[in-house]
Amino acid sequence: MTEGAGETRGSAESAGPAADVLRLLAERDQTLAVAESLTGGLVAAELTAVPGASRSFRGSVTAYATELKERLLGVDGTLLAAYGAVNAQVAAEMAAGVRSALGASWGIATTGVAGPDPQDGQPVGTVFVAVAGPGGRKTARLRLNGSRAEIRRESVRNVLELLSSELRENARGQDTEQNGGI
C-alpha cells in the first residue's frame, strides 16, 4: 500500500510538459517519435516516466554520432558535411526522419552543444529543437546557459513545449476547418 501511494505521488510530480504532450496526443489519437542527439535519451525517458505513455509514444532514436543522423534518420549527408550536426535544418530533418521511420503522427528532435567544448563552429549552449507533424515542420534555436546537465534538461523542456504549442495550434486549425473557417 505504501509503495502504491509513493507511485501516485511520483505520477503527480511528473506532471509537466511530457504529461501535457501525451495527454494532447491521446485526445487526438496521435503518436509521437523522438530523435535525440545532445539529450541522449532524456526526452524519451521524460515521456516514458508518465504512466500510460505507451498509448501515444512509439519510440526513439538516439543518434549521437553524426553519421547515424544520416544513416538512421535520413538527414542529408551534404548538409551534415557543409554545416555539421548543430543546425536548424538538421534538427528539422531528424524530426521528419524519425516520424517517418517509426510511423508516427509527430516527430521531435534535439541537436546541439551541451559542452564542455564547442562543436561544428557552434558555442556551448547552442541547441536546435524541431517538430515535424501533419502541418509541416517547425524549428527553434536556443541559446542556453548553465552546466552540461542544465543545457540538456532545458533542451528536453523546450522541445516538449514546442510540440505542445504545435499540437494546440494544429487543434485550433482543425477546429476552424470543422466550423467552416473564419
Side-chain angles (χ1 to χ4, degrees), residues 3-16 49-51:
E3 187 176 333
E7 288 175 18
T8 302
R9 247 189 327 272
S11 298
E13 290 169 8
S14 69
V50 178

Side-chain angles (χ1 to χ4, degrees), residues 11-89:
S11 298
E13 290 169 8
S14 69
D20 184 49
V21 159
L22 290 167
R23 180 185 53 77
L24 291 168
L25 288 165
E27 286 173 359
R28 294 160 179 77
D29 198 28
Q30 294 180 328
T31 57
L32 174 63
V34 177
E36 300 187 65
S37 186
L38 86 146
T39 50
L42 292 175
V43 177
E46 190 78 12
L47 289 163
T48 58
V50 178
S54 61
R55 178 167 177 202
S56 299
F57 181 62
R58 301 254 323 141
S60 66
V61 173
T62 301
Y64 209 65
T66 299
E67 72 268 11
L68 295 179
K69 292 171 181 65
E70 180 180 5
R71 192 161 35 120
L72 298 178
L73 299 171
V75 176
D76 184 319
T78 306
L79 175 69
L80 288 166
Y83 300 103
V86 184
N87 177 279
Q89 185 63 30

